Amino acid sequence: MDAVKEAVEGIKNATMNESPAEKSQTPKINKKDKKKGGNSSEDSRPLELAPPPDYIAHRVKLFEKLKAKYDNEIAQKPREPINITLGNDRVEIGKAWKTTPACVAKSVSSSLSKRVVVARVNGELWDLERPLEGSCRLELLDFEHEEGKKVFWHSSAHILGEAAERRFGCHLCIGPPVQDGFYYEMALPDGGVVQQSDWQPLKTIAEKAIKDKQPFERLTLSKVDLLEMFRDNKYKQHIIKDKIADGASTTVYRCGPLIDLCRGPHVPDTGRIKAFEIMKNSASYFLGDAANDSLQRIYGVSFPDKKLMDEHKKYLEEAAKRDHRKIGIEQELFFFDEDSPGSAFFAPNGTIIFNALQKMLRSEYWKRDYQEVTTPNMYNTNLWKTSGHLQHYKEDMFILPVEKDEFALKPMNCPGHCKLFKLRERSYRELPWRVADFGVLHRNEASGALSGLTRVRRFQQDDTHIFCTQEQITEEIEGLFDFLRYVYGLFGFTFKLKLSTRPEKFLGDVKTWDIAEDRLEKALNSFTAGGGAKWEKNEGDGAFYGPKIDITISDALRREFQCATIQLDFQLPQNFGLEYVTGEAAPQPKVDESEGTPEVKADGGLKGPSPGCARPVMIHRAIIGSFERFIGILTEHFAGKWPFWLSPRQILVIPVMPSVSDYVLEVQKIFRNKKLHVHVDLSGNTMQKKIRTGQLQQYNFIFVVGAQEKDSRTVNIRNRDDQATQAKGDLVPLQEALEKLVALKKERRLNNAI
């Protein structure tokens, strides 16, 4: 199982990097197709190949032979009584190698058995129809559960793969679940391309497979048998040879004529899918490498209820309207150019938003005793060897030859901050030392993975590091939770917290990890007790250098994004030989010298701190994360209707007649002197057209001024978010309007009201 998990995950990660053609590829149309109507949903070809490809019969014959042998072995297993403990500590009695999670679900309730998608047995995902092998703790997960949804969509991908083989006779690569559904990647015969006219036939074949209620059957095979089963598929051959060790075994799954290399698990049968749609197709590269074969990728989505599909389509319509790439161009916020892929050009309007976010953070840094620093953009690779990044992160770094030496653009700030800490001797009285850096970072993302502002190569973060003692961890984390609550509250975001604990492979000693995790848990419990959301534990998913807290925000469309992270790091202070002078107020923690004794590092770091000194703990933290990504999220969250304090288009002043143009310009000057973003429209358009244009451009407030307003030194204010103000309203004295709008900006209120 570990071998196939590694194989599938490795290839999945690689192929998630889409090719430059991965933008809902427009199918090529030949001259004959144009005469017939081109890319319509109609297709004169047969629905599916007849006869089917020879490799299908070969796979099925071998599968049935080996499955019969496996079933015979299972039949010989002793059917001993086992205890099955459910989530409410209810215990069911079953028989080993006979009782399945599906049996247990049915014994609980008929509705549960129909609703459940997959099981979790002692923490491991498990097919509902796979017999239990011994006493265990059993969880039953439905589609609403994150893992249940992934399994449901993974099974749907297999149905799509079956449909593709039956229609094209193609060679499949992989078919994983993704954030909003699933895809299958394949090579069509003779380098063929999937057309939009293939979508409906593929859906028709898939629906036939769903109607047949084909069972998902699991079988463990040796590497030798796998190579024989997939002898006609060079992509599967590559995965098997590259990722599965000689003598190892892994699993395949069958549904109908499809048999695929897969770790599973899956839904019991194809009939569980009640709504199935093809969403788009595109091109990609095998292993995400442009030097490899070009493949076809087909995306789909599915649900256990047709109503959910209808809701999903409405959601997609709304998401398309909010697409930050679309709004970014419409509002002149940012754009991208092929001369610098993955690097955003922020126009003046976008830079206003960027600077407003940075100003807000700087004001909070001052209140919370952070010190801002500036560090180099490029370092000799010796620094990255010391930090460990060169060994673990080199492929994602930009490496540059400089005067017969090797340098790298920084992908993160932490090593530079370690250098700053080590500038001079530090005392425990200086801790915690909170250091912030808005420096430019570069990461060598694959070209196919770049996506608007959400995945870029050049970016800036609200990157900070806190150097503290172990005793200060809990208090510092509580302070960060307060910081999170304030920042996310400005935008109306809710957020969830998840504690990721010590992984299987880790650095340092167990005792130190246990202390750190305990202090993080105390901080999380304190946050919950103070009215914060409940937190979850993610066992074994911490970073190799320390436990971490992942923070997920939820936007206006209830989509979740991870922006913030809080990570404890014991390793970098060790690698760089960081230490502080201890005192009675901060006694040095006892360290078990038999475990995790530090190694001597290239930069002269010692095996242990100097006498009378201790290593600081380093807390990595970001709240908004990448400014670029956060602005992309905000653009879609607000649908381009920016809160006043962030808005690049705060006020538009429109004259009723040309004779008041001087007053319009005076109003603009008065408000600009208070650093408000005010524009005027003195064009020859009608007043109504000017107002409509301002509304479409999402100005927070539109001032309409005429002779009456000029004589009384007032303004007539239309509020973007208040329909009642769209007609002529009460006149507001100029000074009063100025004071109220200055206050609205200063207080960073979310509500657009004065």
Side-chain angles (χ1 to χ4, degrees):
M1 283 298 290
D2 291 339
V4 75
K5 180 176 181 180
E6 179 185 354
V8 176
E9 287 299 317
I11 302 302
K12 174 183 172 183
N13 291 337
T15 53
M16 281 301 287
N17 296 335
E18 301 170 341
S19 74
E22 180 70 73
K23 295 178 182 177
S24 296
Q25 169 184 308
T26 302
K28 298 177 182 177
I29 307 171
N30 61 36
K31 293 179 180 178
K32 292 181 180 179
D33 289 335
K34 287 183 179 179
K35 291 178 181 178
K36 294 177 182 177
N39 225 10
S40 70
S41 59
E42 296 180 4
D43 195 313
S44 60
R45 290 176 293 165
L47 182 66
E48 53 186 288
L49 296 177
D54 291 340
Y55 63 73
I56 290 180
H58 169 73
R59 283 188 326 215
V60 170
K61 182 178 179 181
L62 182 57
F63 182 92
E64 289 180 345
K65 173 186 172 183
L66 297 173
K67 184 69 163 57
K69 180 182 176 182
Y70 172 79
D71 289 343
N72 184 57
E73 292 174 357
I74 296 301
Q76 307 304 315
K77 300 281 186 181
R79 269 44 176 179
E80 298 175 347
I82 58 173
N83 293 330
I84 305 162
T85 306
L86 302 180
N88 57 0
D89 289 332
R90 170 180 170 178
V91 177
E92 295 281 328
I93 306 299
K95 291 186 177 180
W97 301 101
K98 182 177 180 181
T99 302
T100 66
C103 296
V104 177
K106 194 170 184 179
S107 71
V108 174
S109 78
S110 176
S111 62
L112 175 64
S113 68
K114 293 175 182 176
R115 191 174 70 251
V116 68
V117 170
V118 69
R120 190 151 53 190
V121 177
N122 293 333
E124 178 186 349
L125 289 176
W126 198 274
D127 299 281
L128 289 172
E129 296 294 348
R130 180 181 169 188
L132 300 169
E133 299 171 8
S135 294
C136 61
R137 177 169 286 276
L138 175 67
E139 298 173 78
L140 299 169
L141 313 179
D142 62 15
F143 180 78
E144 295 305 317
H145 190 282
E146 182 181 356
E147 294 294 342
K149 191 168 292 180
K150 287 180 182 177
V151 168
F152 190 91
W153 282 340
H154 188 187
S155 300
S156 302
H158 278 235
I159 296 172
L160 173 58
E162 176 187 337
E165 284 192 342
R166 289 168 64 175
R167 179 159 178 79
F168 304 122
C170 57
H171 291 301
L172 299 177
C173 182
I174 63 165
V178 289
Q179 185 174 3
D180 286 315
F182 52 89
Y183 70 78
Y184 228 115
E185 198 168 61
M186 65 204 69
L188 271 59
D190 302 319
V193 175
V194 176
Q195 305 280 347
Q196 190 171 344
S197 57
D198 289 310
W199 295 6
Q200 184 56 48
L202 286 168
K203 180 182 176 183
T204 299
I205 299 170
E207 288 177 339
K208 287 171 65 177
I210 290 168
K211 186 177 180 181
D212 290 343
K213 296 185 177 180
Q214 300 167 349
F216 279 90
E217 299 177 271
R218 179 180 184 271
L219 183 62
T220 302
L221 298 183
S222 68
K223 182 175 182 178
V224 173
D225 287 333
L226 287 168
L227 289 170
E228 173 61 23
M229 177 168 282
F230 297 104
R231 68 185 186 186
D232 298 305
N233 187 323
K234 69 176 183 179
Y235 306 106
K236 300 293 184 185
Q237 289 272 319
H238 178 91
I239 296 171
I240 295 165
K241 291 175 182 178
D242 188 53
K243 297 294 183 180
I244 301 174
D246 292 342
S249 61
T250 191
T251 54
V252 296
Y253 276 79
R254 176 184 180 182
C255 63
L258 176 73
I259 300 166
D260 201 7
L261 177 70
C262 180
R263 65 186 170 109
H266 286 284
V267 298
D269 63 72
T270 57
R272 292 298 184 101
I273 284 76
K274 302 301 182 185
F276 184 100
E277 286 287 352
I278 307 293
M279 304 306 293
K280 67 175 181 175
N281 66 275
S282 61
S284 62
Y285 296 119
F286 181 56
L287 305 182
D289 188 340
N292 291 338
D293 289 358
S294 178
L295 303 174
Q296 296 295 293
R297 187 180 287 182
I298 306 174
Y299 289 85
V301 71
S302 62
F303 294 94
D305 186 305
K306 291 182 179 179
K307 182 181 177 183
L308 291 176
M309 178 66 81
D310 293 338
E311 292 174 355
H312 181 71
K313 288 180 178 179
K314 290 178 182 177
Y315 155 79
L316 290 178
E317 289 176 7
E318 181 60 28
K321 295 176 187 175
R322 293 170 177 255
D323 190 321
H324 74 277
R325 292 164 294 190
K326 170 177 170 286
I327 294 173
I329 296 298
E330 292 172 349
Q331 297 190 355
E332 298 182 16
L333 304 177
F334 52 82
F335 68 93
F336 291 86
D337 188 275
E338 62 183 12
D339 285 334
S340 186
S343 301
F345 286 77
F346 276 93
N349 285 346
T351 303
I352 287 170
I353 296 170
F354 190 105
N355 289 342
L357 287 172
Q358 203 169 76
K359 183 178 180 181
M360 176 271 293
L361 288 166
R362 280 195 167 108
S363 68
E364 288 301 308
Y365 287 164
W366 180 260
K367 296 174 187 175
R368 299 169 190 271
D369 198 23
Y370 283 78
Q371 294 178 297
E372 189 175 341
V373 298
T374 302
T375 50
N377 271 20
M378 187 169 68
Y379 295 95
N380 190 293
T381 51
N382 287 331
L383 179 86
W384 303 111
K385 288 176 185 175
T386 300
S387 68
H389 289 98
L390 200 67
Q391 298 89 315
H392 299 285
Y393 205 75
K394 186 174 182 178
E395 290 184 0
D396 296 309
M397 298 171 68
F398 286 100
I399 309 293
L400 307 171
V402 180
E403 296 181 349
K404 298 182 181 181
D405 212 337
E406 193 175 62
F407 282 71
L409 295 177
K410 64 178 178 183
M412 49 201 70
N413 289 305
C414 31
H417 293 177
C418 288
K419 285 281 190 182
L420 283 167
F421 186 92
K422 203 175 180 181
L423 176 65
R424 59 171 173 78
E425 182 178 272
R426 303 281 177 179
S427 165
Y428 73 90
R429 294 183 180 88
E430 297 178 68
L431 303 184
W433 189 53
R434 307 180 186 100
V435 57
D437 195 331
F438 292 120
V440 174
L441 305 175
H442 288 85
R443 294 181 186 174
N444 191 13
E445 301 284 359
S447 59
L450 301 176
S451 179
L453 290 178
T454 59
R455 197 77 175 265
V456 293
R457 287 175 174 165
R458 185 266 187 206
F459 61 98
Q460 291 173 256
Q461 289 189 144
D462 64 325
D463 202 7
T464 70
H465 295 94
I466 301 172
F467 297 86
C468 64
T469 69
Q470 285 199 22
E471 291 74 19
Q472 293 169 334
I473 291 174
T474 300
E475 185 177 357
E476 287 304 302
I477 300 300
E478 288 175 348
L480 291 178
F481 289 159
D482 180 70
F483 204 162
L484 283 168
R485 201 197 305 261
Y486 171 77
V487 172
Y488 290 157
L490 290 174
F491 310 106
F493 287 136
T494 57
F495 62 93
K496 299 177 183 177
L497 302 170
K498 187 177 290 186
L499 171 63
S500 297
T501 59
R502 185 176 67 248
E504 192 172 318
K505 295 180 180 179
F506 63 93
L507 296 173
D509 61 273
V510 173
K511 186 175 181 180
T512 302
W513 274 82
D514 289 343
I515 292 171
E517 289 175 9
D518 178 66
R519 294 203 163 120
L520 289 181
E521 286 197 24
K522 285 180 179 176
L524 286 162
N525 289 333
S526 175
F527 174 75
T528 300
K534 290 183 179 179
W535 59 276
E536 299 176 30
K537 182 177 283 191
N538 193 10
E539 295 281 2
D541 200 42
F544 68 91
Y545 50 77
K548 62 177 181 174
I549 298 173
D550 292 323
I551 299 97
T552 304
I553 61 175
S554 181
D555 74 355
L557 294 181
R558 299 194 300 277
R559 296 173 299 185
E560 294 190 344
F561 303 91
Q562 184 185 327
C563 295
T565 185
I566 300 170
Q567 300 180 357
L568 295 192
D569 188 348
F570 311 108
Q571 194 60 30
L572 274 188
Q574 178 62 50
N575 289 1
F576 283 94
L578 305 185
E579 59 186 35
Y580 63 90
V581 177
T582 62
E584 292 183 0
Q588 180 179 351
K590 293 182 180 179
V591 177
D592 185 347
E593 297 294 342
S594 66
E595 294 188 69
T597 302
E599 298 292 331
V600 176
K601 299 299 174 183
D603 70 338
L606 303 175
K607 286 189 175 182
S610 304
C613 295
R615 297 268 185 244
V617 177
M618 190 175 183
I619 302 176
H620 304 252
R621 87 103 183 100
I623 292 180
I624 70 170
S626 154
F627 278 86
E628 286 77 1
R629 184 168 182 264
F630 196 68
I631 288 172
I633 292 169
L634 288 179
T635 304
E636 298 186 4
H637 177 59
F638 293 122
K641 295 184 177 181
W642 298 98
F644 187 76
W645 68 275
L646 273 180
S647 180
R649 291 171 169 165
Q650 294 174 328
I651 303 166
L652 176 64
V653 189
I654 296 173
V656 174
M657 70 279 289
S659 60
V660 296
S661 294
D662 58 336
Y663 182 58
V664 167
L665 294 172
E666 182 188 358
V667 170
Q668 180 189 34
K669 183 177 181 180
I670 290 170
F671 280 77
R672 276 184 58 82
N673 285 341
K674 291 296 184 179
K675 297 191 175 355
L676 297 178
H677 302 296
V678 189
H679 303 123
V680 300
D681 188 345
L682 300 179
S683 69
N685 293 325
T686 65
M687 185 182 72
Q688 289 305 319
K689 186 171 183 180
K690 292 177 183 179
I691 292 172
R692 181 57 182 155
T693 299
Q695 290 171 336
L696 292 174
Q697 292 176 334
Q698 303 299 343
Y699 278 91
N700 297 73
F701 299 96
I702 297 176
F703 294 177
V704 180
V705 298
Q708 184 181 4
E709 286 80 8
K710 179 179 179 179
D711 293 340
S712 60
R713 296 193 65 77
T714 59
V715 287
N716 183 279
I717 302 177
R718 298 177 184 231
N719 183 334
R720 180 194 65 197
D721 299 341
D722 185 354
Q723 195 61 35
T725 66
Q726 298 309 306
K728 181 176 173 62
D730 296 332
L731 301 184
V732 180
L734 196 58
Q735 185 61 31
E736 180 184 338
L738 180 64
E739 291 172 358
K740 287 184 175 180
L741 288 173
V742 167
L744 180 61
K745 180 181 179 180
K746 183 179 179 181
E747 295 167 14
R748 299 192 179 97
R749 297 202 299 267
L750 188 60
N751 187 20
N752 195 60
I754 57 175

